[in-house]
Amino acid sequence: MGRRLALLVATYEYQDAGLRRLTAPAHDAEALAEVLQDPAIAGFEVTTLINEPYSRVGRAISDLYRDRRRDDLTLLYFTGHGLKDDAGKLYLAMTDTRRDGLMFSGLSAEHIDQTMDAAVSHQQVLVLDCCYSGSYPAGRGVKGDDAVHTLSRLSGRGRVVLTSSDATQYAFEDDQVSGSASQSVFTRFFVDGIRDGSADADGDGEIALDELYAFVHDNVVRVMPQQRPKKKEDISGRIFVARNVHWALPEYVRAGLNSPIVDYRHVALRDLMRLHSTGNDVVRGIVLDEIRGLAKDDSKSVCAVADQFLSDLTPRSETPPEPAPPNQGWAGGFTRYSVGHPGRTALARAVPGPADWSRRDAVLDGAEIQDAQGVARLDLRAASLRGHAHRHEGGVRQDDYAFRRTDDGRYLVVTVSDGVSTGRFSHLAATLVARRGCELMASGLASGSAEDLDWTALTYQLGEEIRALAGSYLHAPAGGRPFDRRAVASHMAATAYFGVIDLVPSADGYSLYHCGFGDSAAWLLRQNGNWESLSVLRNVDEIPTRPIPVLPLEPESGIWPTRDTLRPGEVLVLMTDGLGGPLLAASGPVGTFLSEVWREPPEPLAFAAQLDFAKRGYMDDRTAVAIWPSAERPEDQRR
């Protein structure tokens, strides 16, 4: 695991008389240092520089990025004043900065950008809580563009830039200053979101940078509407800043445990088993106490499932079944693949759900994806399988997937969706999201490029269609009122992950645009056999603490895609959390098993059987769409 290093630079005092007349920044850097260096919360190695000269800060920045490794996480934070000169160049003011000599006394944004570019680390965070000013010679006047363009100046690969504002609040014309600004509250909410865990929007016990930014943005705009924070990122996967140390058993689980309705206690039990599979020792201890209590429940069915789970946790003397050979050919019939001990649930017979005979236990596909000229570009395998728990209990498969090529042959679009287990009709929502998600992406690509897709509008439209679908299954609200999204979500909800692949390859490979809503995910299997998360990567020591974002609910902030490249020899896998959960420890037995059997595209039936591997403690539905660049892609057919 890489190091976590933070350099916090705060300048409250200035030798320049003009800078002293501006609104001083809030003294929040010390509080930020406190939460970042707390080993229980964030565990950063923190260096704090307050009211230091330009030369001292410059050396510290150089030290921050020198000799970094790829997996190191660096956080560079500034609070103070930024100055844009007459040529439009941006400088950060230190205590000895002079407005009439910015080039040699101010910290150049260009130099910061170059230093970060030279670093090997691909997890770089830059946070600017600055009040910006324009500095102009007498008689030249203020230029029309009052934007600072911080994001474009300081963005780069493997980097996330957060800024409290991106417009000049003051203008200097020699010693005359005009404009005004209120004291920023950006850092205060940045600290609050980490310290009390309130930024943990998806309740996974870990505070990701995108969650923290959304929390800060919403609170800053609420308190100071004139201040508009901004963000720009170009990273693979998510950056996790801190742990939510205030985790407690989620209220929705507690409510299910206390419910007199047996079905609700069954749902709570499944949630507890999921929490146990991903939680740390403390969490597992709490969860086990609750499951032991359910083993004495007055419902025999609840008792049986709880007792079986506890029994599966007991070490066994028999030798676990060996995984099938990676290159075993398909011989008809599902070969049982096991990773470690399979658990007794894996051996249970499938029981159809009496109310859902039309919902198949498993669906699968295999396809060669060609471009508009008929050239084979990608090999695709897909499967959606009813989980061992649902098979044993007679529950319906709640996952689904869909894929299609756009009409012009330019793009492949893919969606995987996971119905939320607490909803009686969530499997219908998952199917709608998967199929309509692909249709909406294809429709948007017919009139624009992948960069132009409005992902926020897409998820909003899917939410509206789920709400409309609810009218066929739920009792209509009184007075002819429309269905409330939150009310619908309690019966019919799903997570989703969307992918768009450009079938016109570049010299490096195929451009990939992807984003998700909830805990479905995307992973890359690299040429060296290592797995790399492109989306949510939850540590095995942390667990969900409250319901994840689901459709039909609207996102708390906008949905933005991440762009990556799928290179020859790599495998892209979009998946629901039934596979994402056991794959979290990417170097563990599940990751090793799948990296062996999925190096090359298997036969579709073999792919489904491999996805159906048995491993004790993992019993959820599983859905995956795996994509291999074609091995016979002619180099001279690139366009």
Side-chain angles (χ1 to χ4, degrees), residues 308-319:
Q308 178 177 300
F309 180 82
L310 294 170
S311 177
D312 285 343
L313 294 179
T314 304
R316 302 174 186 277
S317 58
E318 66 264 24
T319 303

Side-chain angles (χ1 to χ4, degrees), residues 39-187:
I41 298 177
F44 277 85
E45 303 171 41
V46 178
T47 300
T48 305
L49 301 179
I50 297 178
N51 298 325
E52 294 286 349
Y54 157 77
S55 59
R56 171 73 180 90
V57 175
R59 287 195 301 272
I61 294 174
S62 177
D63 291 342
L64 176 66
Y65 295 106
R66 182 185 297 121
D67 298 329
R68 294 281 72 83
R69 298 185 306 180
R70 182 183 176 88
D71 58 349
D72 287 342
L73 169 59
T74 60
L75 188 152
L76 178 57
Y77 165 89
F78 286 95
T79 184
H81 291 294
L83 293 167
K84 189 172 75 166
D85 68 10
D86 187 52
K89 294 183 177 180
L90 175 64
Y91 297 85
L92 300 176
M94 301 298 105
T95 191
D96 60 345
T97 296
R98 297 187 357 248
R99 288 179 295 112
D100 60 355
L102 287 176
M103 184 177 295
F104 298 103
S105 65
L107 200 60
S108 165
E110 182 178 357
H111 291 167
I112 296 173
D113 178 61
Q114 291 170 350
T115 303
M116 297 178 77
D117 273 343
V120 176
S121 169
H122 279 205
Q123 294 187 96
Q124 301 176 356
V125 180
L126 176 60
V127 182
L128 300 174
D129 189 1
C130 295
C131 174
Y132 297 107
S133 309
S135 185
Y136 311 95
R140 189 75 60 87
V142 180
K143 290 190 174 181
D145 183 10
D146 64 352
V148 184
H149 305 294
T150 315
L151 300 181
S152 59
R153 296 174 191 272
L154 291 166
S155 61
R157 180 67 175 168
R159 192 182 309 173
V160 181
V161 182
L162 310 182
T163 178
S164 61
S165 177
D166 197 46
T168 55
Q169 289 88 22
Y170 297 98
F172 285 101
E173 190 170 354
D174 276 358
D175 287 331
Q176 302 299 314
V177 60
S178 60
S180 63
S182 302
Q183 195 172 69
S184 173
V185 294
F186 182 91
T187 302

